[in-house]
Amino acid sequence: MINYSIGRKLKERKAQILLPSVLLAPIFILVIYLLFETAKVSMAKVRHQFALDNAAYSQMSSASTYLNAMAMLNGPLPYRVMLGYNNGQPLRKKQGSDIPDNLTIFDLFYKGGAFPSIGPDHDSGINKPPKPEQDDWDVKYYDKEYLDDGATRAAWQKETPSQPGDDFLPVMSKKLTSDVYFMVNGQDTEGQAAIVGYLETYLRVGSIYKSQDYVFKEVSKNAVMFREAYYLNVNDCKRDDCARQSASQIRQFLNLKTKPFELNKIRFYMSEASARGDYNTGTKDLDFEAEKTLKEKLFQFAYLDGGSRSKLKSLAHGILLKQTFKLPRNHFNINLEQKYKPYVRNRVVLSCPRNGNNCVWPNPVPKYSITLEP
């Protein structure tokens, strides 16, 4: 009786869908498992791709920050300090002198080769701020008629500048000092304050250089920032062993070195006035040895060594980073890593708008930027 009832039910039209449904159920379950496992693989790849991109950008940003800081120290910073020194008040000019009116302390030092100025109007130093899209700030030393003989800085404005000799090097224009009242002794101490201000400016710039150089070396040592950023964005590797493959690729380009250009024997000038102080009778040399008085040489600017310039040329074209990663286990016990060898990759570019990718020295401009490419 029971068999007869089952047979009648199976012969009914509504029951015709039962058998295919029973056969298709395992297929639906299999599809659900496949979608779930595919999602796990996709999530793992996306996570590691994000980790690689984040790590590359974080590590390379330390290099761009360092290089841009060097570019700012190499002229724009001391120029702006000296431009505003003493509020740009003019110096008293010697009677009968044919030098320009309204000469300031900025002119005495800039036209003596003490620091470079930003263009286009280098002589006055008064310019509108560079536009954001401007790729050349035209930073250079003075090279015109008021520069004393032998005080040219042409040998300094090279990728590998010539080091100063053992003689005292002027950082003021003797021609101009002889035609203004620039006293160091007596009641008029404006000259003394200006010389101290110049030394303090470059002492602070040198201190900033040392701090920036130390920080960059620490965060780039063994690609520590790259490995730490990668580790924090994934959950399947150990802190000390994370992203070893890609870290070894980027590490060789992080050893960027700058060398400080420093002065020891420096010559200032002062005006010699009459006993009554009513006219200028000439100039007097004021020689200063930085190592004896300051216990260190006086920083001027920093430049890249040859090996670092070569690395920057490669970074301008981009370096390819590739990192293999582990896939999560699946319900089918298939070793996908062995079969497909999954990996993520990107190309990181560190560049500035200048041939050779050197915007540090000469003619510095803080325009290094980072680009990530697939």
Side-chain angles (χ1 to χ4, degrees):
M1 189 67 178
I2 295 176
N3 292 334
Y4 174 76
S5 298
I6 294 175
R8 284 186 58 192
K9 287 291 183 183
L10 291 176
K11 289 178 180 180
E12 292 179 4
R13 181 174 296 181
K14 294 181 179 180
Q16 299 303 308
I17 196 173
L18 180 61
L19 185 59
S21 299
V22 173
L23 296 176
L24 289 175
I27 298 178
F28 286 131
I29 295 174
L30 181 61
V31 169
I32 292 173
Y33 271 107
L34 286 174
L35 291 174
F36 179 72
E37 295 297 339
T38 302
K40 286 169 58 178
V41 171
S42 298
M43 288 174 60
K45 182 175 177 64
V46 170
R47 177 178 292 171
H48 280 270
Q49 184 65 61
F50 176 80
L52 182 65
D53 292 344
N54 183 271
Y57 190 90
S58 299
Q59 183 67 77
M60 203 55 69
S61 67
S62 66
S64 67
T65 300
Y66 174 66
L67 296 173
N68 286 333
M70 295 301 103
M72 282 298 296
L73 295 178
N74 286 348
L77 180 58
Y79 147 79
R80 288 170 178 167
V81 173
M82 295 301 296
L83 182 63
Y85 191 81
N86 200 30
N87 295 319
Q89 294 296 315
L91 297 165
R92 188 158 57 102
K93 190 170 67 170
K94 178 181 177 181
Q95 293 182 354
S97 172
D98 59 354
I99 64 172
D101 294 330
N102 299 324
L103 203 70
T104 65
I105 289 173
F106 171 86
D107 295 302
L108 288 188
F109 281 91
Y110 168 62
K111 294 174 182 177
F115 54 86
S117 176
I118 292 179
D121 189 352
H122 297 88
D123 291 353
S124 71
I126 301 174
N127 300 284
K128 293 182 179 179
K131 297 180 180 179
E133 66 273 14
Q134 190 172 336
D135 292 334
D136 190 345
W137 290 4
D138 194 17
V139 179
K140 65 180 182 180
Y141 284 95
Y142 182 79
D143 60 356
K144 298 179 182 177
E145 67 270 21
Y146 295 115
L147 188 68
D148 296 333
D149 296 337
T152 177
R153 305 299 195 238
W156 294 12
Q157 298 183 95
K158 298 179 180 179
E159 287 190 327
T160 304
S162 299
Q163 295 295 324
D166 293 330
D167 297 330
F168 283 92
L169 183 74
V171 293
M172 293 176 61
S173 172
K174 187 174 184 179
K175 296 176 183 178
L176 292 178
T177 309
S178 63
D179 280 349
V180 297
Y181 289 88
F182 186 78
M183 308 302 177
V184 174
N185 301 317
Q187 295 181 351
D188 188 354
T189 59
E190 188 177 53
Q192 180 179 354
I195 291 174
V196 171
Y198 170 79
L199 293 172
E200 286 183 343
T201 296
Y202 271 103
L203 278 173
R204 293 182 183 276
V205 172
S207 177
I208 296 172
Y209 165 75
K210 292 176 182 177
S211 298
Q212 290 287 335
D213 192 59
Y214 172 79
V215 170
F216 175 68
K217 288 178 180 177
E218 288 299 309
V219 299
S220 60
K221 187 185 301 181
N222 199 28
V224 60
M225 185 177 290
F226 180 90
R227 294 185 294 106
E228 186 71 13
Y230 199 104
Y231 166 78
L232 292 174
N233 283 287
V234 297
N235 59 359
D236 57 359
C237 67
K238 297 180 180 179
R239 184 186 294 267
D240 297 334
D241 195 42
C242 208
R244 176 176 294 183
Q245 179 184 0
S246 51
S248 64
Q249 294 169 317
I250 198 173
R251 185 188 299 120
Q252 57 188 312
F253 293 95
L254 297 176
N255 190 23
L256 301 174
K257 295 180 180 179
T258 58
K259 294 183 177 181
F261 187 93
E262 301 170 318
L263 300 180
N264 179 31
K265 294 184 176 181
I266 305 169
R267 175 164 292 168
F268 301 99
Y269 298 110
M270 65 171 287
S271 303
E272 289 190 303
S274 65
R276 292 181 301 174
D278 54 354
Y279 62 90
N280 187 333
T281 60
T283 58
K284 181 180 179 181
D285 297 349
L286 293 177
D287 292 339
F288 180 85
E289 290 193 51
E291 286 187 310
K292 285 186 177 180
T293 306
L294 305 175
K295 308 304 179 184
E296 61 178 303
K297 293 184 178 181
L298 193 66
F299 176 87
Q300 296 293 292
F301 56 85
Y303 61 96
L304 293 161
D305 64 10
S308 298
R309 295 197 299 269
S310 178
K311 290 182 177 70
L312 283 175
K313 289 179 181 178
S314 298
L315 285 168
H317 299 290
I319 55 173
L320 182 65
L321 302 179
K322 182 178 178 181
Q323 180 63 48
T324 58
F325 63 94
K326 296 179 180 179
L327 290 175
R329 296 183 62 182
N330 54 74
H331 288 83
F332 306 102
N333 291 324
I334 299 175
N335 191 337
L336 297 176
E337 293 179 33
Q338 184 177 4
K339 186 174 183 180
Y340 296 106
K341 297 179 175 57
Y343 65 89
V344 290
R345 53 171 280 175
N346 65 17
R347 183 180 295 274
V348 59
V349 179
L350 176 65
S351 62
C352 76
R354 187 159 297 156
N355 291 334
N357 205 23
N358 179 8
C359 290
V360 174
W361 186 262
N363 191 12
V365 58
K367 289 281 187 174
Y368 280 96
S369 60
I370 306 166
T371 305
L372 284 178
E373 300 174 355

